[in-house]
């Protein structure tokens, strides 16, 4: 499909061959094709326009070498621009403090609890002692879900099913972690189907009190423009450190990665590609750029 786009771009260029130069005139149609490809991949229209304007500037005046078709050249420039837009290279999570606290935020159904388990497994594999904390006090099933995941990955889960005070639970969990020598505490929080004031205040309070070394925002990549709006709202309230993009095993090409990065300017740190605990990858901007272009 990657070739598809360069073929389409070649067609748009029609006659430009060999050592011709890319000019304003012959690049215009091509840029439209690129914009369409980005929008097809779920990139927000405004963002796609800004990106393609940049690509146009970047491409102008470049020589088309005999060995490279103008389509291939444009795809390469586009890929470079998209990679840059998504931060250029991967950004690791910060793990400081004893224990290091990681706060997980996001809407219900985004994949928070699943990701909490996956991150636990990932850190365990990297040699860290981990404690998972069930702080979703509104959804008893979330506690059971986390316990099942904890068992599966061999990581302890702290919960207080009768306690309705998330901050108290988290503080008790941290005390428990200190006592039992766990160096990392991952706190799974409550989510609602839509942004809700009570939920926001609760997680804001958790962040202030726990002073996590990393606050992550989990978002379903299939939700398109909504994902961008939710990211903006959560960032305004939480000033999170990074984004986790989930459900990339679905049929989305992942354009939300570009839109979110562009709107909130926070790095995407992980991507989730399935329901299984091993379906977690570190986010690499260059790989995502390839995926977005098809
Ligand atoms: P939470 O409400 O945010 O805690 O979301 P959950 O972790 O319970 O996930 C909601 C649903 O999405 C569950 O059925 C998960 O198995 C599923 N899920 C989570 N992450 C992924 C993913 O990356 N891919 C797919 N296909 N499903 C996922």
């Amino acid at each position: 499909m990657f070739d598809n786009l360069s073929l389409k771009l070649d067609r748009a260029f029609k006659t430009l061959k060999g050592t011709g130069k890319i000019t304003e005139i012959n690049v215009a149609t091509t840029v439209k094709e690129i914009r369409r490809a980005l929008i097809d991949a779920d990139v927000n229209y405004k963002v796609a326009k800004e990106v393609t304007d940049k690509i146009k500037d970047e491409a102008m005046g470049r020589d088309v070498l005999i060995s490279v078709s103008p389509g291939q050249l444009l795809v390469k420039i586009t890929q470079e621009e998209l990679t840059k837009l998504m931060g250029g290279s991967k950004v690791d999570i910060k793990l400081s403090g004893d224990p290091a606290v990681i706060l997980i935020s996001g809407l219900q159904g985004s994949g928070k609890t699943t990701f909490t388990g996956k991150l636990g497994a990932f850190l365990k594999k990297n040699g860290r002692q981990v404690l998972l904390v069930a702080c979703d006090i509104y959804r008893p099933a979330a506690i059971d879900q986390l316990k099942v995941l904890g068992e599966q990955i061999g990581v302890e889960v702290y919960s207080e099913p009768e306690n309705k005070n998330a901050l108290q639970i988290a503080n008790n969990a941290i005390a428990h972690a200190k006592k039992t020598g766990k160096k990392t505490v991952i706190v799974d929080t409550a989510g609602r189907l839509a942004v809700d004031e009570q939920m926001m205040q609760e997680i804001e309070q958790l962040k202030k009190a726990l002073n996590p070394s990393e606050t992550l925002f989990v978002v379903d990549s299939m939700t398109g423009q909504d994902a961008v709006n939710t990211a903006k709202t959560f960032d305004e309230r939480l000033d999170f450190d990074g984004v986790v993009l989930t459900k990339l095993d679905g049929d989305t090409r992942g354009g939300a990665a570009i839109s979110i990065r562009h709107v909130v300017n926070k790095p995407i740190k992980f991507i989730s590609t399935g329901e299984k605990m091993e379906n977690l990858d570190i986010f690499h901007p260059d790989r995502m750029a390839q995926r977005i272009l098809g």
Side-chain angles (χ1 to χ4, degrees):
M1 269 203 289
F2 208 48
D3 290 336
N4 262 350
L5 181 61
S6 43
L7 277 179
K8 259 194 211 162
L9 300 185
D10 278 343
R11 234 175 285 133
F13 271 114
K14 284 192 192 92
T15 53
L16 189 68
K17 279 200 208 97
T19 52
K21 272 197 194 310
I22 293 178
T23 66
E24 178 106 43
I25 296 164
N26 63 32
V27 86
T29 339
T30 329
V31 160
K32 236 188 246 167
E33 287 288 351
I34 297 173
R35 194 174 304 159
R36 194 171 306 148
L38 293 180
I39 290 166
D40 280 352
D42 262 353
V43 179
N44 162 294
Y45 177 80
K46 228 177 96 202
V47 178
K49 183 165 179 344
E50 279 182 46
V51 176
T52 43
D53 285 348
K54 237 191 201 164
I55 291 165
K56 199 163 135 186
D57 290 345
E58 185 60 35
M60 211 77 80
R62 287 240 199 150
D63 287 325
V64 178
L65 304 172
I66 294 169
S67 56
V68 185
S69 76
Q72 284 166 337
L73 180 63
L74 253 289
V75 166
K76 187 169 165 283
I77 293 171
T78 307
Q79 214 180 322
E80 284 166 5
E81 271 315 311
L82 296 186
T83 303
K84 254 194 264 165
L85 261 176
M86 289 185 284
S89 48
K90 74 175 174 83
V91 182
D92 293 332
I93 53 169
K94 290 184 298 297
L95 294 169
S96 55
D98 189 12
V101 176
I102 304 173
L103 187 65
I104 311 296
S105 68
L107 292 182
Q108 187 178 315
S110 59
K112 267 190 321 304
T113 304
T114 310
F115 171 72
T116 302
K118 287 178 178 179
L119 185 60
F122 174 85
L123 293 174
K124 183 185 172 194
K125 221 166 113 190
N126 282 289
R128 290 190 73 100
Q129 293 270 351
V130 183
L131 180 68
L132 307 183
V133 188
C135 268
D136 188 344
I137 49 178
Y138 307 105
R139 205 165 62 94
I143 300 179
D144 297 334
Q145 191 186 342
L146 198 60
K147 277 189 182 158
V148 170
L149 295 178
E151 242 165 64
Q152 211 178 309
I153 61 174
V155 167
E156 189 185 347
V157 175
Y158 185 93
S159 69
E160 297 182 20
E162 303 308 321
N163 193 344
K164 293 290 173 212
N165 184 327
L167 181 55
Q168 227 171 52
I169 300 171
N171 277 327
N172 292 344
I174 290 169
H176 179 75
K178 281 186 178 151
K179 230 175 13 200
T180 54
K182 307 278 193 321
K183 299 292 180 206
T184 314
V185 172
I186 310 176
V187 182
D188 183 22
T189 62
R192 297 288 163 83
L193 288 173
V195 174
D196 162 286
E197 186 54 29
Q198 192 189 345
M199 169 189 87
M200 278 301 181
Q201 280 180 12
E202 183 181 283
I203 193 152
E204 252 177 349
Q205 194 198 7
L206 276 173
K207 185 173 181 220
K208 234 179 251 163
L210 302 178
N211 192 22
S213 67
E214 185 80 28
T215 300
L216 293 172
F217 168 68
V218 179
V219 65
D220 180 343
S221 63
M222 310 275 286
T223 55
Q225 192 53 38
D226 280 347
V228 180
N229 296 334
T230 314
K232 197 159 173 267
T233 310
F234 270 76
D235 194 46
E236 279 161 8
R237 299 292 290 265
L238 281 184
D239 188 19
F240 54 68
D241 302 295
V243 179
V244 178
L245 215 50
T246 64
K247 309 192 189 180
L248 275 165
D249 49 317
D251 46 15
T252 171
R253 293 254 287 282
I258 292 187
S259 307
I260 290 175
R261 172 77 205 215
H262 189 76
V263 170
V264 299
N265 198 25
K266 294 284 169 69
I268 296 161
K269 298 198 172 176
F270 289 100
I271 57 171
S272 164
T273 54
E275 297 183 80
K276 295 202 190 92
M277 287 296 97
E278 60 270 26
N279 297 143
L280 182 72
D281 289 306
I282 289 172
F283 178 79
H284 289 277
D286 52 344
R287 290 180 205 166
M288 184 55 82
Q290 273 193 26
R291 177 188 170 123
I292 287 169
L293 286 179

